[in-house]
């Protein structure tokens, strides 16, 4: 990477120097061991030990002495690693910063007095002297690390006694965070800025010690585990090649892209077919109708004359076409949600004018009128509500599905750091305080067969998880809530939902923190990272289905550290009142951010030549639409600009004034003197034609299993259910997220005696001065879509609210976020059931509106992603993975031989609410033997779409129906009891129903339960149905017998059932249950996913 | 007057707010100082009575945990770093801050020189983990460090991927132990923990933190600043309830008292 664009340093001739740090063999190589485990687990490749060697290539004017100094002082660890420069081992002597001996103090005496000691001899840290030499090793300690091996052969000192050495490095132009940090370290170490012709590159060498894998195995290791060709390159050398003198190729500098010119795109004479071809060729993702709208706009003779006068071609420029495509993309414009639906559903015909306005905005506004705590919805990057008298909270959830499908690590990482920026760009700027993550993947045990270009679900799981982990942990934002759902159809497109909530004082510098404005004359300022070729066409790509030929320039890595600095700086500048408006640079880059901001004051004019670049030779349109990460756009009053830019410089944050806001009515773009684009804001933002969408419901054809066909309720069934991917513990994966940085955590992802019981919601206390706390939970029940997408949506909302209440939140304070991930509901090639998918969407939206109105739950933010399909390149059905094929075959749309894999229509509903007193928050674990166990809510014959039916290979027809009125009464009653401190535990029933909830509450408490069911109410059901039905709005609580009367009084007239008692014996037994040993159930539940780590 | 605590921020440090809160709750006056401001003017340190290095991912830990920030402090603070030791300024490093102190050579400083003697490497599991641990304060350390007066055991979270504390050799680690440089050990049933997860990273001698010879420079991998209130404990709904503060707070109030 190029750290900056200062003049070349003259002293030394340009040369390549390769530093390598190899772990000393006496120390355990945890990274190598982990890779070895992964290879054994995923590829069934067993090989000898693997050692990781870190490499850094310095391309520039570095002397050998400087390279050694870099290696010793900031690269290699002197205790556990040996440093090599161009293959030569370091044999330097120890160096130290000396402290006068008398000041070191006696070790066993009293501690030194706490007073100023006049410094005697000043410690000397002058010229370079090498650091410590290689430590001697006498014997292993604690017996758990690798035994000492013989001294490695002198000829292969770096990689040991290796069979193969594999070097993985980034392709030119891809974000290399290690290199960026190293460059910064080199600058402070050498006391000079790196020159424009100097670059640093990082790499990792995996040394496969003899006996290594076979060459064929090695190829699989490289292709399926070690690297992703979209962003990385790999080079393998065998021992024989190494002996013959071959070495890893030096990194090549990032190539120059484009020609730097502005090209007109002649449209006015094109036929319809040519317009469509142009849209495809440029990845514009514009329909014919939209292309025609653009064509007719630029045919207008008055406009053509005005353009000539402005120095622009009559035909649109490439930059204008690209800016329009970004702004009009489904990703940015939500054309489907804003479209006009002609609906035919069970004999009813109607027209719905915008799903968004009808089913989301209107109900939310109606609810807002009844509540005084909602500050801002639909107008900003995230919805804002008043958390307390002093604090506002905003929250946003995004999806990053397409990028995660292509490059799981970078896709997920940019997903999470991207939604962090949404929060930073809300109002005056909110500080991110929590992340959420919800994934939908194909099953990890899917066979090897996959359609072209798709990655195995296991690889996606690992990569996405690592991206979320690094993105959140390195940013210092706790990941507090989430889940992983599995279904074979997500093989075609994984869903990666990333959410962030932010906190701000209600007033900042005398203004309401959720408000912002721009005045003409304000400077347009870009802050954060440089612009490169990375992330061009992200918005348009995600507006199309995934296919074999999806563009890869949209793939990015993300740099949380650069972003963390930017966040710190922005919040500092916010509190000093240094800017007036802020928004993030996400999809569509500057064309979207500045283009949107221009609407605030009526125009903007920017100069692309003022934008700091990280790649040479970008065409102006690249700069305009690049989605290079870690950037925000701000409006800074002219009198604050100097102070703002100076603060940025002192904080090591890049900031550049790139133009000004105007009242011209246009978004004007220049590159130096050269005009690049001049788009009327009205056309840019309002010119897209509206979609008309036909929606026709096809009723599901499934049937219920007869009682006689249900399996026996025995230990084997219980274990099998608890081990299912959707039910088993996710703890090993979740523990890799930092869930308590920032110190607000009250209820963590896991609870109970050994902190391994699953929590229903996270609770955080943002202000340690009060006990008022924030709870966050979510619901996602995609499989119910196979029967009725409306019930799917209602259950998602209900589950989120129930989970929130179980943690102690007041249901009347809850706000929600709707995130739709749908298969393409527009007709097209290989999409025969598009009208049904559209009807499913209408049903889901209608159900969302109904239930939110009943719960008085406003949707303060949301997002939709409408192209979650994989389209097969050639003949349908070819090379489909067997799991996906089986799933497609049983999809209720009856598409037996589909040419696409469509995700099940999926709504993620996230709910946030207030826990009035954190000390009354609840967890799911049983607390004391003898406590009574109650089931609140009715259990019905509702196994349709359940986990049990999935286990049996069925779908069924009775999907759970939500009855929001009785449910809300129940939630309110539960909350009253929680506030009184009457309840010992509360756990919401979800996948797997009552049996799973009981088992989880037992696991958390390390306590058993004895059921004493009486024949009443729900008891009439077949036991398997009773224990595994997924009827909505049910909650399992436990409480001390002394409070039984209080509970019965509170729930008088409602459906409740006393199930039995908590017991010391670690068994689940009684009622219709066989005796279930909880140790055995725990094993089944706890281990399946952990094994994959 | 309340003692001023310099809380280092910037460059990927991210647990600075809760550390400032800990010092404030303990009666100190925490002041956040940006790393680059300190680089410009290292003497800023001496406007404070405590130097605290919070957790986080300084420079992304891209060249190894804490390595670059340690390089920055050694190179940019230079003499001031020696003066911190010479003046006897209390220093606390938590998690990444501890990694920085070790790699900059401020801990354990058994030879009276600011040079790296030990290291923090990848957890044996190969994974970053957030889990609560119990750590025991070594009795000798409690006697001679003003940070640790009266403390016996603490419960708080570890949140790291590179927390395995190793010496340059087993013998060197033995020597550090004998000389009283081990301040904390991971515990299991009251004994030094040898097994995962009680010893969450495979640290030699179950060591969770170091103390220098003066008793004033202290560092540890676990996060006492994330365990100030009983409400922050993972099992408060089962044991003890959500009122009040924990022993972890005493780490901070100890030093404030000692300075007062």
């Amino acid at each position: 990477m190029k750290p900056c664009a200062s003049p070349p340093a003259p002293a030394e001739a340009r040369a390549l120097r390769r530093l390598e740090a190899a772990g000393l063999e006496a120390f355990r190589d945890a990274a190598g061991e982990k890779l070895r485990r992964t290879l054994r687990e995923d590829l069934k490749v067993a090989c000898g030990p693997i050692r990781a060697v870190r490499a850094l290539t310095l391309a520039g004017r570095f002397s050998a002495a400087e390279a050694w100094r870099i290696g010793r002082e900031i690269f290699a660890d002197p205790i556990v690693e040996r440093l090599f420069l161009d293959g030569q081992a370091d044999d330097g002597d120890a160096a130290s910063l000396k402290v006068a001996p008398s000041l070191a103090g006696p070790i066993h005496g009293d501690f030194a007095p706490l007073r100023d000691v006049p410094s005697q001899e000043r410690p000397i840290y002058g010229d370079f002297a090498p650091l410590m030499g290689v430590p001697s090793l006498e014997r292993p300690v604690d017996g758990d690390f690798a035994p000492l091996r013989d001294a490695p052969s002198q000829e292969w000192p770096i990689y040991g006694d290796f069979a193969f050495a594999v070097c993985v490095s980034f392709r030119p132009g891809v974000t290399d965070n290690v290199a960026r940090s190293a460059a910064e370290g080199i600058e402070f170490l050498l006391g000079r800025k790196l020159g424009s012709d100097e670059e640093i590159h990082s790499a990792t060498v995996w040394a496969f010690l003899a006996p290594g894998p076979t060459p064929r195995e090695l190829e699989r290791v490289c292709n399926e585990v070690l690297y992703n060709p979209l962003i990385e390159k790999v080079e393998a050398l065998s021992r024989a090649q190494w002996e013959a003198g071959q070495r890893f190729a030096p990194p090549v500098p990032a190539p120059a892209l484009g020609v730097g010119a502005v090209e007109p795109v002649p449209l006015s004479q094109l036929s319809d077919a040519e317009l469509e071809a142009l849209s495809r060729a440029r990845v514009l993702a514009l329909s014919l109708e939209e292309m025609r709208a653009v064509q007719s706009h630029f045919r207008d003779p008055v406009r053509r004359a005005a353009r000539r006068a402005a120095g622009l071609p009559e035909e649109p420029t490439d930059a204008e076409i690209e800016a329009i495509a970004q702004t009009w993309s489904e990703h940015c414009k939500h054309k489907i949600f804003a479209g006009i639906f002609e609906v035919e559903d069970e004999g009813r015909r109607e027209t719905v004018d915008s799903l968004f306005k009808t089913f989301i905005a209107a109900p939310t506004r109606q609810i807002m009128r009844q509540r005084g705590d909602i500050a801002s919805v639909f107008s900003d990057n995230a919805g804002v509500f008043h958390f307390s008298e002093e604090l506002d909270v905003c929250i946003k959830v995004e999806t990053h599905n397409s990028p995660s499908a292509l490059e799981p690590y970078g896709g997920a990482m940019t997903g999470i750091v991207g939604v962090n920026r949404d929060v930073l760009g809300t109002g005056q700027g909110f500080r991110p305080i929590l992340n959420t993550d919800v994934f939908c993947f194909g099953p990890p045990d899917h066979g090897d067969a996959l359609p072209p270009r798709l990655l195995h679900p296991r690889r996606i799981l690992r990569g996405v998880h690592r991206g979320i982990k690094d993105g959140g942990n390195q940013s210092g934002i706790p990941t507090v809530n989430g889940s992983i759902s599995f279904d074979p159809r997500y093989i075609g497109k994984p869903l990666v939902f990333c959410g962030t909530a932010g906190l701000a004082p209600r007033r900042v510098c005398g203004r309401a923190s959720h408000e912002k404005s721009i005045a003409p004359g304000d400077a347009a300022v870009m802050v954060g990272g440089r612009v490169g070729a990375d992330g061009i066409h992200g918005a348009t790509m995600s507006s199309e289905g995934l296919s074999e030929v999806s563009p890869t320039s949209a793939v990015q890595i993300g740099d949380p550290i650069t972003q963390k600095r930017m966040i710190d700086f922005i919040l500092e500048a916010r509190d000093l009142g240094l800017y007036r408006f802020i928004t993030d640079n996400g999809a569509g880059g500057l064309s979207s951010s500045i283009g949107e901001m221009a609407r605030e004051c009526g125009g903007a004019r920017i100069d692309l030549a003022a934008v700091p670049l990280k790649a040479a030779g970008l065409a102006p349109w690249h700069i305009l639409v690049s989605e290079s990460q870690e950037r925000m756009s701000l409006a800074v009053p002219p009198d604050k600009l100097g102070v703002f830019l100076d603060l940025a410089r002192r904080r090591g944050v890049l900031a550049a004034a790139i133009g000004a806001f105007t009242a011209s009515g246009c978004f004007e773009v220049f590159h130096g003197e050269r005009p690049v684009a001049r788009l009327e804001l009205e056309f840019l933002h309002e010119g897209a034609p509206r979609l008309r969408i036909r929606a026709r419901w096809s009723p599901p054809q499934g049937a219920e299993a007869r009682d006689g066909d249900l399996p026996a309720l025995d230990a084997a069934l219980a274990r099998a259910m608890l081990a299912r991917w959707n039910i088993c513990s996710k703890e090993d994966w979740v523990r890799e997220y930092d869930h308590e940085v920032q110190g607000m955590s009250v209820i963590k992802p896991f609870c109970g005696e050994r902190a391994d019981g699953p929590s229903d919601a996270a609770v955080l206390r943002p202000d340690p001065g009060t006990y008022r706390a924030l709870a966050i939970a979510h619901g996602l029940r995609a499989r119910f879509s196979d029967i009725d997408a409306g019930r799917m949506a209602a259950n998602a909302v209900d589950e989120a609210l129930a989970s929130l209440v179980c943690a102690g939140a007041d249901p009347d304070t809850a706000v929600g976020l709707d995130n739709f991930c749908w298969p393409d509901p527009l007709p097209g090639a290989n999409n025969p059931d598009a009208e049904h998918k559209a009807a499913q969407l209408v049903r889901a939206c209608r159900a969302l509106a109904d239930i939110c109105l009943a719960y008085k739950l406003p949707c303060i933010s949301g997002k939709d992603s409408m192209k979650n399909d994989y389209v097969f390149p050639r003949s349908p059905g070819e090379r489909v993975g067997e799991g996906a094929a089986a799933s497609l075959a049983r999809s209720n749309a009856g598409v037996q031989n589909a040419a696409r894999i469509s995700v099940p229509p999926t709504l993620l509903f996230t709910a946030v609410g207030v826990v009035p007193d954190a000390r009354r928050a609840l967890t799911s674990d049983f607390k004391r033997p003898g406590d009574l166990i109650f089931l609140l809510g009715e259990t019905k014959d509702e196994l349709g779409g359940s986990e049990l039916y999935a286990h049996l290979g069925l779908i069924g027809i009775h999907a759970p129906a939500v009855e929001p009125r009785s449910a809300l009464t129940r939630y309110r009653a539960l909350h009253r009891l929680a506030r009184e401190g009457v309840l010992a535990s509360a756990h919401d029933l979800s996948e797997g129903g009552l049996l799973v909830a009981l088992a989880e509450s037992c696991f958390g408490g390390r306590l058993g339960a004895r059921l004493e069911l009486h024949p009443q109410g729900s008891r009439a059901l077949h036991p398997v149905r009773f224990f595994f039905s997924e009827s909505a709005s049910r909650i399992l609580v436990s409480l001390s017998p002394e409070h039984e009367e209080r509970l019965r009084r509170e729930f008088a007239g409602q459906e409740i059932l006393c199930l039995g008692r908590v017991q010391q014996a670690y068994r689940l037994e009684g009622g219709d249950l066989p005796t279930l040993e909880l140790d055995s159930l725990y094993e089944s539940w706890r281990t399946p996913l952990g094994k994959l780590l | 007057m309340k003692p001023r605590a310099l809380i280092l921020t910037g460059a990927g440090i991210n647990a600075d707010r809760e550390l400032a809160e800990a010092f404030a709750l303990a009666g100190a006056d925490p002041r956040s100082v940006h790393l680059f401001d300190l680089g410009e003017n290292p003497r800023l340190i001496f406007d404070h009575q405590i130097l605290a290095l919070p957790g986080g991912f300084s420079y992304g830990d891209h060249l190894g945990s804490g390595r670059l920030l340690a390089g920055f402090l050694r190179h940019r603070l230079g003499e001031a770093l020696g003066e911190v030791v010479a003046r006897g300024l209390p220093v606390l490093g938590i998690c990444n801050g501890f990694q920085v102190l070790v790699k900059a050579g401020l801990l354990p400083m058994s030879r009276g020189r600011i040079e790296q003697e030990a290291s923090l490497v990848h957890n044996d599991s190969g994974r970053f983990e957030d889990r609560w641990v119990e750590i025991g304060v070594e009795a000798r350390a409690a006697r001679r460090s003003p940070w640790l007066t009266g403390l016996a055991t603490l419960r708080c979270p570890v949140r790291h991927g590179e927390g395995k504390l190793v010496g340059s050799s087993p013998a060197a680690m033995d020597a550090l132990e004998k000389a009283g440089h081990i301040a904390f050990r991971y515990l299991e049933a009251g004994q030094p923990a040898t097994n995962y997860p009680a010893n969450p990273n495979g640290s030699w001698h179950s060591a969770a933190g170091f103390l220098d010879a003066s008793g004033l420079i202290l560092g540890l991998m676990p996060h006492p600043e994330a365990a100030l209130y009983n409400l922050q404990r993972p099992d408060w709904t089962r044991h003890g309830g959500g009122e009040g503060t924990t022993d972890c707070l005493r780490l901070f109030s100890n030093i404030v008292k000692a300075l007062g």
Side-chain angles (χ1 to χ4, degrees), chain B residues 66-84:
Chain B
R67 176 113 240 120
L68 274 168
L69 181 51
F72 183 94
L73 295 182
R74 285 179 65 102
H75 194 76
R76 298 299 294 271
L77 303 191
E79 295 183 359
L81 212 52
E83 203 175 326
V84 165

Side-chain angles (χ1 to χ4, degrees), chain A residues 689-700:
Chain A
R690 288 184 68 190
L691 281 176
R692 296 192 85 89
I693 301 160
R694 282 185 56 84
R696 186 163 45 182
W697 175 254
S698 317

Side-chain angles (χ1 to χ4, degrees), chain B residues 105-226:
Chain B
L106 284 163
L107 277 177
M109 232 178 8
S110 73
R111 297 184 283 248
R113 294 193 301 272
I114 301 182
E115 67 186 358
Q116 185 177 342
E117 296 178 47
S119 198
L120 288 138
V121 299
H122 285 287
N123 299 349
D124 278 352
S125 63
R127 297 157 51 185
F128 179 106
E129 277 193 314
D130 178 341
R131 65 167 67 249
W132 278 58
V133 294
E134 188 167 53
I135 52 172
V137 178
E138 290 288 288
R140 278 164 70 193
R143 279 197 300 277
R144 68 186 186 80
S145 171
W147 291 98
L148 302 174
T149 310
L151 292 180
T153 61
L154 301 174
R155 278 185 71 209
C156 54
V158 289
R159 309 192 309 248
H160 61 244
E162 297 181 46
K164 178 179 179 176
L165 187 51
V166 297
S168 62
S169 70
M173 193 71 172
D174 288 345
L176 293 179
E177 179 178 39
K178 282 199 193 79
H181 286 291
I182 295 178
F184 304 94
R185 281 184 223 260
Y186 299 107
L187 295 184
E188 182 163 27
Q191 297 302 310
T194 48
N195 296 319
Y196 175 86
N199 177 342
N201 46 38
S203 285
W204 290 6
H205 296 263
S206 313
F210 276 152
L211 185 66
D212 81 328
S214 73
L216 293 168
I217 306 182
L218 178 70
L220 72 166
M221 284 312 298
H223 286 272
E225 85 290 7

